[in-house]
Amino acid sequence: MSRLIVISNRVSRPGTGGNQGGLAVALSDALRESRGIWFGWSGNVTDQFSGHIGFSEDEGVKTATIDLEEQDIDEYYNGYANKTLWPLFHFRIDLAEYARDFEGGYNRVNQRFADTASPLIEPEDVVWIHDYHLIPLGDMLRKRGLNNRMGFFLHIPWPPTRLLVSLPHHTKLVQTMFAYDVVGFHTEEWLESFRHYVEREMGGTVDGDFITLGDRTIQAVACPIGINAQEFSEAATSDTAQDMHHRLRASLQDRAMIVGVDRLDYSKGLEERFNGYARFLKDHPEHHRKVLLTQIAPPSREDVESYQQIRATLDSLAGRLNGEYSDVDWTPIRYVNQGYPRDKLAGIYRSAKIGLVTPLRDGMNLVAKEYVAAQDPQDPGVLILSRFAGAALQLKDALLINPYSPEEMSDAILRALTMPLDERKKRWRAMMDSVEGQDINWWRTCFVGRLMISQDEPAAPVEPEPTEG
Ligand code: GDG
């Protein structure tokens, strides 16, 4: 078995106290099995970049990390990654900032990754690079003479061509993706947009899974990421989860809880969620005092102004809503800016009659899947899900809504609150089949399988089917 080298912006060391999400666990398993290495930024700042690599091994997983300079973090991480690519790829061209310094910093840090990682990569290794922080890295590794099988997976949406062309040097960036052998997206929709761009803007040709540009043919595939469904269901019945459940039930009394769990990010549709819930309260006074929304929203990317703004907007919206509707013994929104360990989170999901997941655009959205996995099969809650999340293509038995419409959200909340048990069970079963069937290991195999297979069968263009006429 070839060694797997995973490269991502940050690495997660098992058992070191951080919250290991499903992705980190799945990658750790793959790294352990193949005796591979996980390479990335340590999260630490250094005065002067030295290229020094910090090696660790935790629970059989080897990690290698580098420190970056303050300017790197400003221009690459807070700049090009989170002020340019993130908003643009989430269709928020209004928030995207195009600055030469950002692009320069992005390229510099990708070069630094390439310089430091390339000596660790042996000829038989398979390299798997993750996400928008590191799009050009594969190309930079090739320029350093690496001929390894290389894959790239994008965790966020791929934007429509019309939006992407607003990015200065867009073709140059996309061109670098042809250094990979396999490129992966969560959904057919993002993949379709990628193909469209390559055909229209670059004159590439598409043949099934294969895309040819000049003398390079790559495989571009849709592999929707999943969660560790079994582990999450078990976490939802753990002692910690049950304690959380009892704590919540005691404070809720007989009220129905709606839950939202999101990093504080404008792409998650939190403002729209609060507005939809406000609409529900306005339209349905008969439900006052019988329902409440618990929104868990740990702050993220606090150095970026648009994130400070969303926080201020939500603080004021939650305050206004609570001011308008609260009574001495009822507060309609519990707005919590702190994170919880995973088993507590699982208990919170299980206590909620409704999971309200309303991103305006989301590559996949794992919270929707975690909510499903945490439910009690005998009395499951209802998932209300934005049709603009990648997950909506799999979780078709959720109540799918347009998050921009407060009326639709309000109607869905009413429908979920009054849904008969039989229907809840039927919908949940269908969603759980998908969450269990296409779990995190399925995803890993979906992508890495192709990367490994194409090792024996080089990614060459498939002979086109003869066309009629
Ligand atoms: C990107 C893409 C794609 C949140 N609060 C707490 C907590 N979380 C965990 C959730 C979930 C994860 O964070 C969030 O994952 P999402 O998928 O919902 O969103 P992003 O962070 O934007 O992730 C997304 C994903 O990459 C994977 O490819 O699905 O579309 O944007 O696991 O549970 N975890 C804990 N406490 C919290 O308070 N422990």
Side-chain angles (χ1 to χ4, degrees):
M1 185 189 199
S2 306
R3 247 181 13 152
L4 184 65
I5 308 293
V6 171
I7 310 184
S8 58
N9 174 51
R10 295 294 305 276
V11 306
S12 172
R13 289 170 50 195
T16 52
N19 274 319
Q20 270 231 316
L23 173 64
V25 172
L27 292 178
S28 299
D29 287 348
L31 288 163
R32 206 175 282 123
E33 281 166 27
S34 76
R35 301 183 322 282
I37 304 177
W38 191 345
F39 184 94
W41 171 37
S42 61
N44 297 330
V45 190
T46 179
D47 288 341
Q48 173 126 39
F49 179 75
S50 66
H52 169 79
I53 303 174
F55 289 97
S56 296
E57 184 161 346
D58 306 275
E59 299 177 9
V61 178
K62 289 193 193 105
T63 53
T65 55
I66 51 170
D67 298 345
L68 293 175
E69 290 170 21
E70 189 88 52
Q71 191 184 352
D72 292 337
I73 297 158
D74 281 351
E75 295 173 349
Y76 147 82
Y77 181 70
N78 289 324
Y80 202 72
N82 287 328
K83 287 185 187 158
T84 306
L85 295 181
W86 176 274
L88 174 63
F89 280 46
H90 286 87
F91 299 32
R92 290 299 302 271
I93 188 170
D94 57 317
L95 296 178
E97 289 178 38
Y98 301 139
R100 285 206 184 118
D101 290 354
F102 292 176
E103 195 184 343
Y106 183 73
N107 286 322
R108 183 178 64 249
V109 171
N110 271 270
Q111 298 282 6
R112 289 183 164 174
F113 267 62
D115 285 337
T116 41
S118 51
L120 307 180
I121 302 170
E122 291 167 11
E124 295 304 311
D125 292 346
V126 168
V127 181
W128 189 7
I129 294 171
H130 288 261
D131 232 359
Y132 59 104
H133 314 87
L134 302 174
I135 295 172
L137 180 57
D139 188 51
M140 293 174 182
L141 291 172
R142 294 267 183 245
K143 292 199 165 104
R144 283 159 180 74
L146 269 73
N147 289 318
N148 303 61
R149 304 300 305 178
M150 272 191 224
F152 174 80
F153 193 89
L154 184 71
H155 289 263
I156 64 175
W158 184 269
T161 302
R162 276 192 194 105
L163 297 185
L164 185 52
V165 294
S166 72
L167 178 75
H169 312 129
H170 48 90
T171 307
K172 206 169 140 211
L173 184 70
V174 181
Q175 177 87 47
T176 64
M177 292 173 75
F178 282 80
Y180 297 104
D181 298 292
V182 184
V183 170
F185 303 88
H186 284 313
T187 69
E188 279 297 328
E189 190 182 338
W190 316 138
L191 173 57
E192 227 169 69
S193 299
F194 176 71
R195 286 196 198 114
H196 183 269
Y197 177 91
V198 174
E199 282 184 307
R200 293 293 175 92
E201 291 294 318
M202 303 174 90
T205 49
V206 174
D207 183 3
D209 282 352
F210 294 91
I211 308 184
T212 301
L213 184 69
D215 60 357
R216 286 288 304 167
T217 295
I218 64 170
Q219 207 177 349
V221 295
C223 292
I225 196 170
I227 60 165
N228 188 337
Q230 195 191 338
E231 183 247 22
F232 212 86
S233 302
E234 284 166 15
T237 50
S238 64
D239 289 348
T240 314
Q242 283 183 22
D243 281 351
M244 182 50 103
H245 181 72
H246 292 138
R247 217 176 113 192
L248 271 168
R249 289 306 337 154
S251 84
L252 290 168
Q253 295 162 333
D254 285 331
R255 292 183 181 116
M257 181 170 85
I258 305 172
V259 77
V261 176
D262 311 76
R263 276 186 309 104
L264 237 172
D265 192 298
Y266 49 80
S267 69
K268 301 295 180 185
L270 290 160
E271 195 177 334
E272 288 72 11
R273 189 175 313 171
F274 283 10
N275 286 332
Y277 179 59
R279 179 71 194 220
F280 171 79
L281 294 176
K282 180 164 177 275
D283 288 351
H284 298 286
E286 73 280 13
H287 280 278
H288 290 190
R289 315 177 63 84
K290 295 185 186 154
V291 66
L292 63 85
L293 168 64
T294 298
Q295 176 61 53
I296 294 168
S300 78
R301 304 176 191 168
E302 291 173 278
D303 293 334
V304 178
E305 199 196 324
S306 45
Y307 287 76
Q308 294 157 8
Q309 274 167 11
I310 177 80
R311 184 160 189 183
T313 306
L314 291 172
D315 282 352
S316 111
L317 253 179
R320 213 162 58 220
L321 224 135
N322 277 339
E324 190 171 345
Y325 292 103
S326 290
D327 205 337
V328 287
D329 56 354
W330 174 58
T331 312
I333 296 195
R334 292 178 182 177
Y335 177 46
V336 185
N337 288 136
Q338 67 163 23
Y340 289 88
R342 288 184 79 68
D343 41 4
K344 283 196 178 170
L345 196 63
I348 298 173
Y349 285 135
R350 198 176 173 97
S351 307
K353 297 283 175 215
I354 300 177
L356 190 53
V357 183
T358 60
L360 306 179
R361 211 54 70 168
D362 217 331
M364 173 52 58
N365 194 292
L366 297 179
V367 167
K369 295 185 175 184
E370 291 166 2
Y371 176 76
V372 171
Q375 294 310 297
D376 174 358
Q378 300 313 314
D379 186 18
V382 180
L383 176 67
I384 299 178
L385 177 61
S386 161
R387 60 181 66 249
F388 304 128
L393 295 166
Q394 292 171 294
L395 304 179
K396 296 192 172 83
D397 285 86
L399 297 182
L400 295 179
I401 53 141
N402 171 359
Y404 293 98
S405 163
E407 283 94 348
E408 242 181 71
M409 214 181 296
S410 164
D411 292 351
I413 293 172
L414 182 68
R415 187 162 168 213
L417 285 172
T418 53
M419 189 179 284
L421 179 62
D422 275 358
E423 185 181 348
R424 279 193 277 131
K425 279 185 171 170
K426 221 169 110 207
R427 285 175 181 273
W428 174 79
R429 189 62 262 171
M431 290 192 284
M432 191 60 178
D433 285 346
S434 157
V435 171
E436 283 176 321
Q438 300 189 333
D439 69 358
I440 188 76
N441 292 321
W442 176 90
W443 169 74
R444 172 163 62 97
T445 313
C446 174
F447 190 84
V448 179
R450 294 192 195 231
L451 202 50
M452 301 277 186
I453 286 169
S454 51
Q455 198 164 25
D456 308 323
E457 305 161 17
V462 172
E463 279 302 309
E465 295 283 315
T467 47
E468 285 178 23

